[in-house]
Amino acid sequence: MSEPSTYSVLVEVRLRPGIADPQGATIERALPALGFEGVRSVRSGKAFRLEVDAPSADDAARRAGELAHRLLANPVIEESTVTVLA
Amino acid sequence: MSEPSTYSVLVEVRLRPGIADPQGATIERALPALGFEGVRSVRSGKAFRLEVDAPSADDAARRAGELAHRLLANPVIEESTVTVLA
């Protein structure tokens, strides 16, 4: 299905549940006064777009996952999700 | 297909192409020495997870898109992508 190519990968790094997120909490509190109702929760995090050369999409996801776990996220307080976009 | 519910929405905010990204460039340059070959490009950005009450998934995406455009991204230098996760 997939072949050697350059894959665009999205890595989302977010705080683990229970870790305080003052930036997200501040946005969440501000929304009703700014005209946005119905938003129950806002959590802030980081997004990285990588262009990865790999033999397959699965391999690109695996490499990006390792990289995210070792370098982009702090595993004590953060978790990461990898999505191959194209 | 979708019904009134609380939807989990991911908003990715990233710098527009051509806008300098020193954080991404620094990660990119560091990767080969850290054992990660084959990563052509790294761009850093922000990720927000929202929990949105809406009558449908499409409506949740529309609300989150407006919110992202008006409040989470600086449209001069940033663009945003909205994905309804569940």
Side-chain angles (χ1 to χ4, degrees), chain A residues 6 10 12 14 27 31 36 38-53 67 70-71, chain B residues 6 10 12 14 27 31 34 36 38-53 67 71:
Chain A
T6 302
L10 171 65
E12 181 200 359
R14 57 187 182 283
I27 296 169
L31 290 179
F36 291 96
V39 180
R40 279 178 188 274
S41 160
V42 179
R43 298 280 285 172
S44 70
K46 289 174 283 184
F48 297 92
R49 288 274 188 137
L50 313 177
E51 302 294 323
V52 183
D53 287 336
L67 196 162
R70 283 188 43 204
L71 302 173
Chain B
T6 302
L10 171 65
E12 181 200 359
R14 58 188 182 282
I27 295 169
L31 290 178
L34 294 165
F36 290 97
V39 180
R40 279 178 187 273
S41 159
V42 178
R43 297 280 286 171
S44 70
K46 289 174 284 185
F48 297 92
R49 287 275 187 138
L50 313 177
E51 301 294 322
V52 182
D53 288 337
L67 197 161
L71 303 172

mmCIF file of all heavy atoms in Angstrom, chain A residues 6 10 12 14 27 31 36 38-53 67 70-71, chain B residues 6 10 12 14 27 31 34 36 38-53 67 71:
data_model
loop_
_atom_site.group_PDB
_atom_site.id
_atom_site.type_symbol
_atom_site.label_atom_id
_atom_site.label_comp_id
_atom_site.label_asym_id
_atom_site.label_seq_id
_atom_site.Cartn_x
_atom_site.Cartn_y
_atom_site.Cartn_z
ATOM 1 N N THR A 6 8.572 10.502 0.967
ATOM 2 C CA THR A 6 8.635 11.439 2.076
ATOM 3 C C THR A 6 7.233 11.614 2.635
ATOM 4 O O THR A 6 6.305 11.961 1.900
ATOM 5 C CB THR A 6 9.191 12.793 1.594
ATOM 6 O OG1 THR A 6 10.479 12.589 1.022
ATOM 7 C CG2 THR A 6 9.322 13.756 2.770
ATOM 8 N N LEU A 10 2.302 14.519 11.568
ATOM 9 C CA LEU A 10 1.921 15.458 12.626
ATOM 10 C C LEU A 10 2.165 14.805 13.975
ATOM 11 O O LEU A 10 1.654 13.712 14.240
ATOM 12 C CB LEU A 10 0.436 15.831 12.500
ATOM 13 C CG LEU A 10 -0.166 16.635 13.661
ATOM 14 C CD1 LEU A 10 0.469 18.016 13.767
ATOM 15 C CD2 LEU A 10 -1.675 16.769 13.484
ATOM 16 N N GLU A 12 1.504 15.503 17.883
ATOM 17 C CA GLU A 12 0.837 16.341 18.879
ATOM 18 C C GLU A 12 1.386 15.971 20.246
ATOM 19 O O GLU A 12 1.385 14.802 20.609
ATOM 20 C CB GLU A 12 -0.675 16.099 18.845
ATOM 21 C CG GLU A 12 -1.439 16.964 19.837
ATOM 22 C CD GLU A 12 -2.828 16.424 20.162
ATOM 23 O OE1 GLU A 12 -3.236 15.378 19.605
ATOM 24 O OE2 GLU A 12 -3.500 17.033 21.007
ATOM 25 N N ARG A 14 0.859 16.763 24.224
ATOM 26 C CA ARG A 14 -0.073 17.425 25.142
ATOM 27 C C ARG A 14 0.230 17.003 26.575
ATOM 28 O O ARG A 14 0.827 15.948 26.820
ATOM 29 C CB ARG A 14 -1.521 17.119 24.780
ATOM 30 C CG ARG A 14 -1.839 15.674 24.741
ATOM 31 C CD ARG A 14 -3.250 15.389 24.217
ATOM 32 N NE ARG A 14 -3.468 13.961 24.263
ATOM 33 C CZ ARG A 14 -2.968 13.093 23.379
ATOM 34 N NH1 ARG A 14 -2.260 13.505 22.358
ATOM 35 N NH2 ARG A 14 -3.150 11.810 23.533
ATOM 36 N N ILE A 27 -7.752 30.474 28.511
ATOM 37 C CA ILE A 27 -8.547 30.558 27.278
ATOM 38 C C ILE A 27 -9.979 30.107 27.560
ATOM 39 O O ILE A 27 -10.947 30.764 27.168
ATOM 40 C CB ILE A 27 -7.908 29.699 26.164
ATOM 41 C CG1 ILE A 27 -6.540 30.241 25.785
ATOM 42 C CG2 ILE A 27 -8.817 29.638 24.938
ATOM 43 C CD1 ILE A 27 -5.717 29.317 24.884
ATOM 44 N N LEU A 31 -13.600 32.454 27.028
ATOM 45 C CA LEU A 31 -14.440 32.229 25.846
ATOM 46 C C LEU A 31 -15.869 32.748 25.957
ATOM 47 O O LEU A 31 -16.350 33.404 25.022
ATOM 48 C CB LEU A 31 -14.434 30.738 25.460
ATOM 49 C CG LEU A 31 -13.103 30.229 24.897
ATOM 50 C CD1 LEU A 31 -13.210 28.739 24.589
ATOM 51 C CD2 LEU A 31 -12.708 30.989 23.659
ATOM 52 N N PHE A 36 -18.156 32.811 22.649
ATOM 53 C CA PHE A 36 -18.099 31.379 22.326
ATOM 54 C C PHE A 36 -18.655 30.566 23.488
ATOM 55 O O PHE A 36 -17.999 30.413 24.514
ATOM 56 C CB PHE A 36 -16.669 30.957 22.003
ATOM 57 C CG PHE A 36 -16.168 31.527 20.709
ATOM 58 C CD1 PHE A 36 -15.418 32.691 20.694
ATOM 59 C CD2 PHE A 36 -16.490 30.929 19.505
ATOM 60 C CE1 PHE A 36 -14.973 33.231 19.497
ATOM 61 C CE2 PHE A 36 -16.048 31.459 18.304
ATOM 62 C CZ PHE A 36 -15.292 32.616 18.293
ATOM 63 N N GLY A 38 -20.443 26.930 24.981
ATOM 64 C CA GLY A 38 -20.466 25.493 24.697
ATOM 65 C C GLY A 38 -19.104 24.845 24.579
ATOM 66 O O GLY A 38 -19.010 23.694 24.170
ATOM 67 N N VAL A 39 -18.037 25.568 24.944
ATOM 68 C CA VAL A 39 -16.717 24.932 24.958
ATOM 69 C C VAL A 39 -16.428 24.522 26.401
ATOM 70 O O VAL A 39 -16.239 25.356 27.273
ATOM 71 C CB VAL A 39 -15.620 25.867 24.414
ATOM 72 C CG1 VAL A 39 -14.255 25.175 24.452
ATOM 73 C CG2 VAL A 39 -15.949 26.296 22.989
ATOM 74 N N ARG A 40 -16.430 23.231 26.642
ATOM 75 C CA ARG A 40 -16.313 22.697 27.999
ATOM 76 C C ARG A 40 -14.897 22.706 28.511
ATOM 77 O O ARG A 40 -14.668 22.747 29.720
ATOM 78 C CB ARG A 40 -16.739 21.227 28.018
ATOM 79 C CG ARG A 40 -18.202 20.998 28.070
ATOM 80 C CD ARG A 40 -18.436 19.488 28.023
ATOM 81 N NE ARG A 40 -19.854 19.238 27.878
ATOM 82 C CZ ARG A 40 -20.692 19.167 28.906
ATOM 83 N NH1 ARG A 40 -20.251 19.297 30.136
ATOM 84 N NH2 ARG A 40 -21.973 18.957 28.710
ATOM 85 N N SER A 41 -13.949 22.550 27.633
ATOM 86 C CA SER A 41 -12.570 22.368 28.084
ATOM 87 C C SER A 41 -11.599 22.785 26.978
ATOM 88 O O SER A 41 -11.863 22.550 25.794
ATOM 89 C CB SER A 41 -12.365 20.884 28.440
ATOM 90 O OG SER A 41 -10.994 20.555 28.437
ATOM 91 N N VAL A 42 -10.527 23.427 27.375
ATOM 92 C CA VAL A 42 -9.443 23.771 26.446
ATOM 93 C C VAL A 42 -8.135 23.305 27.078
ATOM 94 O O VAL A 42 -7.852 23.626 28.234
ATOM 95 C CB VAL A 42 -9.361 25.296 26.190
ATOM 96 C CG1 VAL A 42 -8.197 25.621 25.244
ATOM 97 C CG2 VAL A 42 -10.668 25.836 25.625
ATOM 98 N N ARG A 43 -7.362 22.532 26.326
ATOM 99 C CA ARG A 43 -6.034 22.121 26.786
ATOM 100 C C ARG A 43 -5.030 22.530 25.719
ATOM 101 O O ARG A 43 -5.255 22.296 24.530
ATOM 102 C CB ARG A 43 -5.964 20.597 26.972
ATOM 103 C CG ARG A 43 -6.928 20.051 28.018
ATOM 104 C CD ARG A 43 -6.429 20.211 29.427
ATOM 105 N NE ARG A 43 -5.382 19.266 29.774
ATOM 106 C CZ ARG A 43 -4.690 19.323 30.913
ATOM 107 N NH1 ARG A 43 -4.930 20.281 31.806
ATOM 108 N NH2 ARG A 43 -3.760 18.428 31.167
ATOM 109 N N SER A 44 -3.949 23.145 26.142
ATOM 110 C CA SER A 44 -2.955 23.605 25.175
ATOM 111 C C SER A 44 -1.796 22.622 25.095
ATOM 112 O O SER A 44 -1.496 21.906 26.059
ATOM 113 C CB SER A 44 -2.463 24.996 25.557
ATOM 114 O OG SER A 44 -1.673 24.910 26.718
ATOM 115 N N GLY A 45 -1.162 22.586 23.948
ATOM 116 C CA GLY A 45 -0.021 21.700 23.755
ATOM 117 C C GLY A 45 0.809 22.160 22.582
ATOM 118 O O GLY A 45 0.663 23.291 22.115
ATOM 119 N N LYS A 46 1.670 21.283 22.104
ATOM 120 C CA LYS A 46 2.553 21.620 20.996
ATOM 121 C C LYS A 46 2.251 20.729 19.797
ATOM 122 O O LYS A 46 1.809 19.588 19.955
ATOM 123 C CB LYS A 46 4.012 21.421 21.404
ATOM 124 C CG LYS A 46 4.496 22.467 22.400
ATOM 125 C CD LYS A 46 5.905 22.167 22.898
ATOM 126 C CE LYS A 46 5.889 21.055 23.939
ATOM 127 N NZ LYS A 46 7.211 20.792 24.526
ATOM 128 N N ALA A 47 2.471 21.272 18.616
ATOM 129 C CA ALA A 47 2.308 20.500 17.385
ATOM 130 C C ALA A 47 3.592 20.620 16.583
ATOM 131 O O ALA A 47 4.159 21.697 16.468
ATOM 132 C CB ALA A 47 1.135 21.045 16.584
ATOM 133 N N PHE A 48 4.059 19.499 16.045
ATOM 134 C CA PHE A 48 5.236 19.504 15.177
ATOM 135 C C PHE A 48 4.868 18.836 13.864
ATOM 136 O O PHE A 48 4.233 17.778 13.864
ATOM 137 C CB PHE A 48 6.403 18.736 15.829
ATOM 138 C CG PHE A 48 6.889 19.348 17.110
ATOM 139 C CD1 PHE A 48 6.370 18.941 18.330
ATOM 140 C CD2 PHE A 48 7.854 20.337 17.098
ATOM 141 C CE1 PHE A 48 6.798 19.512 19.527
ATOM 142 C CE2 PHE A 48 8.297 20.909 18.294
ATOM 143 C CZ PHE A 48 7.769 20.498 19.508
ATOM 144 N N ARG A 49 5.262 19.472 12.763
ATOM 145 C CA ARG A 49 5.119 18.850 11.451
ATOM 146 C C ARG A 49 6.483 18.388 11.003
ATOM 147 O O ARG A 49 7.401 19.203 10.874
ATOM 148 C CB ARG A 49 4.600 19.877 10.436
ATOM 149 C CG ARG A 49 3.164 20.241 10.619
ATOM 150 C CD ARG A 49 2.301 19.244 9.894
ATOM 151 N NE ARG A 49 0.931 19.728 9.937
ATOM 152 C CZ ARG A 49 0.105 19.692 8.902
ATOM 153 N NH1 ARG A 49 0.505 19.207 7.743
ATOM 154 N NH2 ARG A 49 -1.125 20.114 9.035
ATOM 155 N N LEU A 50 6.614 17.094 10.738
ATOM 156 C CA LEU A 50 7.874 16.536 10.270
ATOM 157 C C LEU A 50 7.709 16.038 8.839
ATOM 158 O O LEU A 50 6.655 15.507 8.485
ATOM 159 C CB LEU A 50 8.298 15.342 11.147
ATOM 160 C CG LEU A 50 8.236 15.491 12.668
ATOM 161 C CD1 LEU A 50 8.637 14.178 13.330
ATOM 162 C CD2 LEU A 50 9.133 16.608 13.151
ATOM 163 N N GLU A 51 8.753 16.193 8.043
ATOM 164 C CA GLU A 51 8.806 15.538 6.733
ATOM 165 C C GLU A 51 9.836 14.418 6.864
ATOM 166 O O GLU A 51 11.015 14.688 7.071
ATOM 167 C CB GLU A 51 9.236 16.520 5.638
ATOM 168 C CG GLU A 51 8.347 17.744 5.489
ATOM 169 C CD GLU A 51 6.951 17.404 5.004
ATOM 170 O OE1 GLU A 51 6.832 16.492 4.156
ATOM 171 O OE2 GLU A 51 5.986 18.031 5.469
ATOM 172 N N VAL A 52 9.363 13.171 6.797
ATOM 173 C CA VAL A 52 10.206 12.015 7.099
ATOM 174 C C VAL A 52 10.377 11.137 5.861
ATOM 175 O O VAL A 52 9.382 10.698 5.273
ATOM 176 C CB VAL A 52 9.579 11.172 8.234
ATOM 177 C CG1 VAL A 52 10.501 10.007 8.601
ATOM 178 C CG2 VAL A 52 9.291 12.022 9.463
ATOM 179 N N ASP A 53 11.632 10.879 5.475
ATOM 180 C CA ASP A 53 11.912 9.887 4.421
ATOM 181 C C ASP A 53 11.831 8.504 5.042
ATOM 182 O O ASP A 53 12.539 8.220 6.019
ATOM 183 C CB ASP A 53 13.342 10.081 3.874
ATOM 184 C CG ASP A 53 13.458 11.321 3.012
ATOM 185 O OD1 ASP A 53 12.435 11.756 2.476
ATOM 186 O OD2 ASP A 53 14.588 11.836 2.871
ATOM 187 N N LEU A 67 11.081 9.509 17.955
ATOM 188 C CA LEU A 67 11.619 10.862 18.054
ATOM 189 C C LEU A 67 10.780 11.701 19.026
ATOM 190 O O LEU A 67 11.317 12.429 19.883
ATOM 191 C CB LEU A 67 11.583 11.440 16.641
ATOM 192 C CG LEU A 67 12.362 12.664 16.288
ATOM 193 C CD1 LEU A 67 12.489 12.741 14.760
ATOM 194 C CD2 LEU A 67 11.698 13.908 16.775
ATOM 195 N N ARG A 70 11.382 10.489 22.625
ATOM 196 C CA ARG A 70 12.715 10.774 23.172
ATOM 197 C C ARG A 70 13.050 12.243 23.225
ATOM 198 O O ARG A 70 13.786 12.683 24.119
ATOM 199 C CB ARG A 70 13.795 10.042 22.366
ATOM 200 C CG ARG A 70 13.863 8.555 22.728
ATOM 201 C CD ARG A 70 15.050 7.878 22.085
ATOM 202 N NE ARG A 70 16.284 8.648 22.153
ATOM 203 C CZ ARG A 70 17.302 8.511 21.312
ATOM 204 N NH1 ARG A 70 17.214 7.635 20.331
ATOM 205 N NH2 ARG A 70 18.380 9.248 21.441
ATOM 206 N N LEU A 71 12.548 13.031 22.256
ATOM 207 C CA LEU A 71 13.048 14.398 22.126
ATOM 208 C C LEU A 71 11.984 15.489 22.223
ATOM 209 O O LEU A 71 12.276 16.592 22.681
ATOM 210 C CB LEU A 71 13.771 14.556 20.782
ATOM 211 C CG LEU A 71 14.944 13.610 20.555
ATOM 212 C CD1 LEU A 71 15.439 13.749 19.137
ATOM 213 C CD2 LEU A 71 16.049 13.894 21.558
ATOM 214 N N THR B 6 -20.948 16.047 22.944
ATOM 215 C CA THR B 6 -19.712 16.779 23.171
ATOM 216 C C THR B 6 -18.639 16.177 22.272
ATOM 217 O O THR B 6 -18.385 14.976 22.330
ATOM 218 C CB THR B 6 -19.292 16.678 24.646
ATOM 219 O OG1 THR B 6 -20.337 17.193 25.460
ATOM 220 C CG2 THR B 6 -18.032 17.484 24.902
ATOM 221 N N LEU B 10 -9.397 18.776 17.729
ATOM 222 C CA LEU B 10 -7.990 19.161 17.731
ATOM 223 C C LEU B 10 -7.802 20.359 16.811
ATOM 224 O O LEU B 10 -8.186 20.308 15.641
ATOM 225 C CB LEU B 10 -7.134 17.995 17.220
ATOM 226 C CG LEU B 10 -5.657 18.298 16.944
ATOM 227 C CD1 LEU B 10 -4.917 18.663 18.219
ATOM 228 C CD2 LEU B 10 -4.975 17.106 16.280
ATOM 229 N N GLU B 12 -4.846 22.581 15.256
ATOM 230 C CA GLU B 12 -3.402 22.724 15.043
ATOM 231 C C GLU B 12 -3.150 24.121 14.491
ATOM 232 O O GLU B 12 -3.759 24.522 13.492
ATOM 233 C CB GLU B 12 -2.913 21.671 14.035
ATOM 234 C CG GLU B 12 -1.411 21.757 13.783
ATOM 235 C CD GLU B 12 -0.984 21.080 12.484
ATOM 236 O OE1 GLU B 12 -1.828 20.528 11.771
ATOM 237 O OE2 GLU B 12 0.217 21.148 12.190
ATOM 238 N N ARG B 14 -0.154 26.485 13.038
ATOM 239 C CA ARG B 14 1.247 26.426 12.590
ATOM 240 C C ARG B 14 1.611 27.699 11.838
ATOM 241 O O ARG B 14 0.748 28.402 11.319
ATOM 242 C CB ARG B 14 1.491 25.188 11.731
ATOM 243 C CG ARG B 14 0.611 25.111 10.528
ATOM 244 C CD ARG B 14 0.749 23.779 9.793
ATOM 245 N NE ARG B 14 -0.114 23.834 8.624
ATOM 246 C CZ ARG B 14 -1.440 23.676 8.660
ATOM 247 N NH1 ARG B 14 -2.062 23.381 9.792
ATOM 248 N NH2 ARG B 14 -2.162 23.795 7.571
ATOM 249 N N ILE B 27 15.678 22.020 16.116
ATOM 250 C CA ILE B 27 15.410 20.579 16.265
ATOM 251 C C ILE B 27 15.909 19.836 15.029
ATOM 252 O O ILE B 27 16.602 18.818 15.131
ATOM 253 C CB ILE B 27 13.903 20.331 16.483
ATOM 254 C CG1 ILE B 27 13.440 20.941 17.806
ATOM 255 C CG2 ILE B 27 13.593 18.832 16.461
ATOM 256 C CD1 ILE B 27 11.930 20.984 17.984
ATOM 257 N N LEU B 31 18.887 16.684 14.906
ATOM 258 C CA LEU B 31 18.456 15.288 14.793
ATOM 259 C C LEU B 31 19.544 14.307 14.322
ATOM 260 O O LEU B 31 19.687 13.239 14.938
ATOM 261 C CB LEU B 31 17.215 15.181 13.901
ATOM 262 C CG LEU B 31 15.939 15.761 14.526
ATOM 263 C CD1 LEU B 31 14.778 15.639 13.538
ATOM 264 C CD2 LEU B 31 15.601 15.054 15.831
ATOM 265 N N LEU B 34 21.726 13.104 16.959
ATOM 266 C CA LEU B 34 21.001 12.350 17.989
ATOM 267 C C LEU B 34 20.532 10.994 17.471
ATOM 268 O O LEU B 34 19.821 10.261 18.161
ATOM 269 C CB LEU B 34 19.799 13.169 18.472
ATOM 270 C CG LEU B 34 20.189 14.466 19.211
ATOM 271 C CD1 LEU B 34 18.991 15.400 19.334
ATOM 272 C CD2 LEU B 34 20.750 14.147 20.595
ATOM 273 N N PHE B 36 18.783 10.378 14.535
ATOM 274 C CA PHE B 36 17.583 10.327 13.696
ATOM 275 C C PHE B 36 17.915 10.867 12.306
ATOM 276 O O PHE B 36 18.082 12.063 12.110
ATOM 277 C CB PHE B 36 16.450 11.144 14.326
ATOM 278 C CG PHE B 36 15.898 10.510 15.562
ATOM 279 C CD1 PHE B 36 16.325 10.913 16.814
ATOM 280 C CD2 PHE B 36 14.968 9.490 15.472
ATOM 281 C CE1 PHE B 36 15.836 10.309 17.958
ATOM 282 C CE2 PHE B 36 14.478 8.879 16.611
ATOM 283 C CZ PHE B 36 14.909 9.294 17.860
ATOM 284 N N GLY B 38 17.043 11.083 8.087
ATOM 285 C CA GLY B 38 15.902 11.024 7.176
ATOM 286 C C GLY B 38 14.757 11.954 7.518
ATOM 287 O O GLY B 38 13.684 11.841 6.942
ATOM 288 N N VAL B 39 14.974 12.874 8.469
ATOM 289 C CA VAL B 39 13.934 13.866 8.739
ATOM 290 C C VAL B 39 14.318 15.141 7.998
ATOM 291 O O VAL B 39 15.304 15.789 8.311
ATOM 292 C CB VAL B 39 13.783 14.143 10.249
ATOM 293 C CG1 VAL B 39 12.697 15.192 10.490
ATOM 294 C CG2 VAL B 39 13.451 12.858 10.987
ATOM 295 N N ARG B 40 13.538 15.451 6.964
ATOM 296 C CA ARG B 40 13.884 16.547 6.062
ATOM 297 C C ARG B 40 13.535 17.909 6.622
ATOM 298 O O ARG B 40 14.127 18.913 6.253
ATOM 299 C CB ARG B 40 13.068 16.428 4.777
ATOM 300 C CG ARG B 40 13.596 15.477 3.792
ATOM 301 C CD ARG B 40 12.631 15.465 2.597
ATOM 302 N NE ARG B 40 13.018 14.413 1.680
ATOM 303 C CZ ARG B 40 13.918 14.590 0.718
ATOM 304 N NH1 ARG B 40 14.467 15.758 0.532
ATOM 305 N NH2 ARG B 40 14.240 13.596 -0.073
ATOM 306 N N SER B 41 12.494 17.963 7.428
ATOM 307 C CA SER B 41 12.004 19.267 7.863
ATOM 308 C C SER B 41 11.238 19.112 9.174
ATOM 309 O O SER B 41 10.529 18.131 9.382
ATOM 310 C CB SER B 41 11.084 19.832 6.767
ATOM 311 O OG SER B 41 10.223 20.809 7.286
ATOM 312 N N VAL B 42 11.408 20.073 10.069
ATOM 313 C CA VAL B 42 10.640 20.125 11.313
ATOM 314 C C VAL B 42 10.066 21.527 11.430
ATOM 315 O O VAL B 42 10.804 22.512 11.326
ATOM 316 C CB VAL B 42 11.515 19.831 12.554
ATOM 317 C CG1 VAL B 42 10.695 19.930 13.831
ATOM 318 C CG2 VAL B 42 12.183 18.471 12.458
ATOM 319 N N ARG B 43 8.769 21.628 11.631
ATOM 320 C CA ARG B 43 8.139 22.931 11.868
ATOM 321 C C ARG B 43 7.382 22.819 13.187
ATOM 322 O O ARG B 43 6.654 21.854 13.423
ATOM 323 C CB ARG B 43 7.149 23.273 10.758
ATOM 324 C CG ARG B 43 7.778 23.410 9.391
ATOM 325 C CD ARG B 43 8.457 24.740 9.151
ATOM 326 N NE ARG B 43 7.503 25.816 8.934
ATOM 327 C CZ ARG B 43 7.832 27.107 8.865
ATOM 328 N NH1 ARG B 43 9.102 27.466 8.993
ATOM 329 N NH2 ARG B 43 6.931 28.033 8.670
ATOM 330 N N SER B 44 7.545 23.801 14.052
ATOM 331 C CA SER B 44 6.873 23.743 15.347
ATOM 332 C C SER B 44 5.627 24.612 15.328
ATOM 333 O O SER B 44 5.528 25.581 14.581
ATOM 334 C CB SER B 44 7.822 24.211 16.447
ATOM 335 O OG SER B 44 8.048 25.596 16.332
ATOM 336 N N GLY B 45 4.672 24.249 16.148
ATOM 337 C CA GLY B 45 3.429 25.009 16.249
ATOM 338 C C GLY B 45 2.716 24.693 17.544
ATOM 339 O O GLY B 45 3.313 24.124 18.467
ATOM 340 N N LYS B 46 1.430 25.055 17.606
ATOM 341 C CA LYS B 46 0.654 24.841 18.809
ATOM 342 C C LYS B 46 -0.491 23.881 18.527
ATOM 343 O O LYS B 46 -0.993 23.813 17.407
ATOM 344 C CB LYS B 46 0.076 26.173 19.309
ATOM 345 C CG LYS B 46 1.132 27.093 19.884
ATOM 346 C CD LYS B 46 0.567 28.453 20.242
ATOM 347 C CE LYS B 46 0.347 29.287 19.009
ATOM 348 N NZ LYS B 46 -0.100 30.667 19.296
ATOM 349 N N ALA B 47 -0.863 23.134 19.560
ATOM 350 C CA ALA B 47 -2.011 22.233 19.447
ATOM 351 C C ALA B 47 -2.960 22.544 20.593
ATOM 352 O O ALA B 47 -2.533 22.739 21.732
ATOM 353 C CB ALA B 47 -1.549 20.781 19.524
ATOM 354 N N PHE B 48 -4.241 22.616 20.286
ATOM 355 C CA PHE B 48 -5.258 22.814 21.325
ATOM 356 C C PHE B 48 -6.280 21.699 21.214
ATOM 357 O O PHE B 48 -6.731 21.374 20.114
ATOM 358 C CB PHE B 48 -5.968 24.166 21.145
ATOM 359 C CG PHE B 48 -5.052 25.351 21.285
ATOM 360 C CD1 PHE B 48 -4.429 25.898 20.184
ATOM 361 C CD2 PHE B 48 -4.803 25.907 22.532
ATOM 362 C CE1 PHE B 48 -3.573 26.986 20.315
ATOM 363 C CE2 PHE B 48 -3.946 26.997 22.670
ATOM 364 C CZ PHE B 48 -3.331 27.536 21.556
ATOM 365 N N ARG B 49 -6.642 21.120 22.360
ATOM 366 C CA ARG B 49 -7.733 20.156 22.409
ATOM 367 C C ARG B 49 -8.927 20.855 23.037
ATOM 368 O O ARG B 49 -8.856 21.315 24.179
ATOM 369 C CB ARG B 49 -7.353 18.976 23.309
ATOM 370 C CG ARG B 49 -6.343 18.052 22.695
ATOM 371 C CD ARG B 49 -7.038 17.043 21.826
ATOM 372 N NE ARG B 49 -6.048 16.062 21.380
ATOM 373 C CZ ARG B 49 -6.281 14.758 21.345
ATOM 374 N NH1 ARG B 49 -7.450 14.271 21.724
ATOM 375 N NH2 ARG B 49 -5.352 13.945 20.905
ATOM 376 N N LEU B 50 -10.017 20.895 22.317
ATOM 377 C CA LEU B 50 -11.250 21.505 22.822
ATOM 378 C C LEU B 50 -12.309 20.426 22.988
ATOM 379 O O LEU B 50 -12.398 19.508 22.176
ATOM 380 C CB LEU B 50 -11.778 22.548 21.829
ATOM 381 C CG LEU B 50 -10.803 23.564 21.234
ATOM 382 C CD1 LEU B 50 -11.542 24.450 20.227
ATOM 383 C CD2 LEU B 50 -10.180 24.413 22.316
ATOM 384 N N GLU B 51 -13.119 20.571 24.031
ATOM 385 C CA GLU B 51 -14.335 19.757 24.160
ATOM 386 C C GLU B 51 -15.501 20.692 23.881
ATOM 387 O O GLU B 51 -15.750 21.636 24.636
ATOM 388 C CB GLU B 51 -14.459 19.174 25.567
ATOM 389 C CG GLU B 51 -13.295 18.291 26.010
ATOM 390 C CD GLU B 51 -13.179 17.007 25.202
ATOM 391 O OE1 GLU B 51 -14.236 16.439 24.857
ATOM 392 O OE2 GLU B 51 -12.041 16.594 24.907
ATOM 393 N N VAL B 52 -16.203 20.447 22.768
ATOM 394 C CA VAL B 52 -17.220 21.383 22.293
ATOM 395 C C VAL B 52 -18.596 20.714 22.293
ATOM 396 O O VAL B 52 -18.776 19.658 21.674
ATOM 397 C CB VAL B 52 -16.891 21.853 20.854
ATOM 398 C CG1 VAL B 52 -17.912 22.871 20.368
ATOM 399 C CG2 VAL B 52 -15.489 22.432 20.780
ATOM 400 N N ASP B 53 -19.577 21.341 22.979
ATOM 401 C CA ASP B 53 -20.971 20.906 22.896
ATOM 402 C C ASP B 53 -21.550 21.444 21.596
ATOM 403 O O ASP B 53 -21.535 22.664 21.372
ATOM 404 C CB ASP B 53 -21.794 21.482 24.054
ATOM 405 C CG ASP B 53 -21.451 20.814 25.376
ATOM 406 O OD1 ASP B 53 -20.955 19.673 25.358
ATOM 407 O OD2 ASP B 53 -21.692 21.438 26.426
ATOM 408 N N LEU B 67 -13.330 29.973 16.280
ATOM 409 C CA LEU B 67 -12.570 30.266 17.491
ATOM 410 C C LEU B 67 -11.062 30.272 17.199
ATOM 411 O O LEU B 67 -10.336 31.173 17.634
ATOM 412 C CB LEU B 67 -12.932 29.167 18.490
ATOM 413 C CG LEU B 67 -12.647 29.318 19.946
ATOM 414 C CD1 LEU B 67 -13.521 28.322 20.715
ATOM 415 C CD2 LEU B 67 -11.201 29.031 20.245
ATOM 416 N N LEU B 71 -9.150 33.658 17.737
ATOM 417 C CA LEU B 71 -8.499 33.760 19.044
ATOM 418 C C LEU B 71 -7.206 32.959 19.192
ATOM 419 O O LEU B 71 -6.322 33.361 19.941
ATOM 420 C CB LEU B 71 -9.464 33.299 20.142
ATOM 421 C CG LEU B 71 -10.792 34.051 20.201
ATOM 422 C CD1 LEU B 71 -11.711 33.379 21.188
ATOM 423 C CD2 LEU B 71 -10.559 35.501 20.584
#
